Each structure stands twice: as C-alpha cells, then as structure tokens.
C-alpha cells in the first residue's frame, strides 16, 4: 500500500513558508532528528504557496514553488511515507527551483497521504490524482 498513517512532518498547509512549530522543533532536537533527512522538521519554503485541486478522490493538496522566471515545470510525486514537507524533498525542491534549472515545482500528496483527502490509495487513485 502507499498509505502512511503518520502525517510527518507537520506544517501549516495554508502557509508552507512557515517552518514546523516549536514543539516539533524541540521534539526533533531531543530525538536527534533536527537535521535528519527523513524525520527532521519542515524547514519552511520561502517561495512556496499552497496547492489544492479537486479530483475524483476528493481534494488533492500540495505545494507550488515558483522561481522568479521559470524555464520548466516539474510535477513531483513523492514516494511512500510522510508528506510533501519531508526534509530531503524540500532540499530537492530548492535544487529544482534555484539557478541554473529555474523550474516551477508542483508537489502533491496522493489521496490518503499528507493533507489530501483520505481514500484507499491504489495505483488507479494515484493516476487519477495526477490527472486532476
């Protein structure tokens, strides 16, 4: 299955420029995960805006990160676990958005993952989310 019961790391889905709150930061610090690429806190993305699309499985949510001038567009579909805010994914978004690539990045959580509406995720629902 692709579903993941823990929506980690928590962040404000309506303001992806803000990093995870102090409770999450402190928990990560205590556990030694402050810089951990899989379990670290959401760093906040200065050029990000929320993304919400209605599809056949409900609302698909994610983030849009745009450089000043984009040359290309990347639809980023993350793998199993967590949400669009996992630290190593944020590092990748920044690499894609910055010079020399200057890509606009659209990153979504499939239904049943992250902040998207819940459904029983399958290959068919993932394809439907992408086509929405």
């Amino acid at each position: 299955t692709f579903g993941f019961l823990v929506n980690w790391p928590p962040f404000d889905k309506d303001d992806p420029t803000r990093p995870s709150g102090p409770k999450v930061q402190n928990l990560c610090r205590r556990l030694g995960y402050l810089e951990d690429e899989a379990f670290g806190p959401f760093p906040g993305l200065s050029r990000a805006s929320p993304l919400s699309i209605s599809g056949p499985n409900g609302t698909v949510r994610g983030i849009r990160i745009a450089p000043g001038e984009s040359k290309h567009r990347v639809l980023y579909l993350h793998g199993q676990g967590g949400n669009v805010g996992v630290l190593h994914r944020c590092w990748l978004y920044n690499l894609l958005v910055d010079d020399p690539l200057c890509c606009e990045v659209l990153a979504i959580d499939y239904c049943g993952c992250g902040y998207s509406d819940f459904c029983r995720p399958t290959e068919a629902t993932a394809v439907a989310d992408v086509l929405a």
Side-chain angles (χ1 to χ4, degrees):
T1 69
F2 317 75
F4 195 71
L5 298 176
V6 177
N7 186 14
W8 188 264
F11 65 94
D12 182 351
K13 71 179 185 303
D14 297 319
D15 186 4
T17 63
R18 293 179 37 203
S20 292
K23 289 181 182 178
V24 173
Q25 300 278 344
N26 288 333
L27 175 64
C28 289
R29 187 174 295 108
R30 282 189 199 151
L31 296 174
Y33 290 146
L34 205 53
E35 295 294 323
D36 188 272
E37 64 184 45
F39 298 108
F42 177 67
L45 295 164
S46 62
R47 297 173 276 193
S49 58
L51 178 66
S52 181
I53 303 162
S54 293
N57 303 311
T59 303
V60 176
R61 292 182 180 84
I63 53 176
R64 176 183 176 265
I65 308 122
E69 244 182 79
S70 60
K71 298 177 184 175
H72 308 282
R73 180 173 288 155
V74 173
L75 176 59
Y76 184 80
L77 308 170
H78 68 77
Q80 168 65 7
N83 59 37
V84 296
V86 172
L87 193 56
H88 70 273
R89 294 175 185 148
C90 293
W91 295 337
L92 177 61
Y93 306 151
N94 285 327
L95 286 173
L96 290 168
V97 171
D98 289 340
D99 284 329
L101 298 176
C102 299
C103 296
E104 175 185 15
V105 177
L106 305 171
I108 64 166
D109 285 320
Y110 302 100
C111 77
C113 295
Y115 290 107
S116 291
D117 287 349
F118 183 78
C119 76
R120 183 176 172 274
T122 64
E123 182 179 352
T125 61
V127 170
D129 289 345
V130 169
L131 294 176

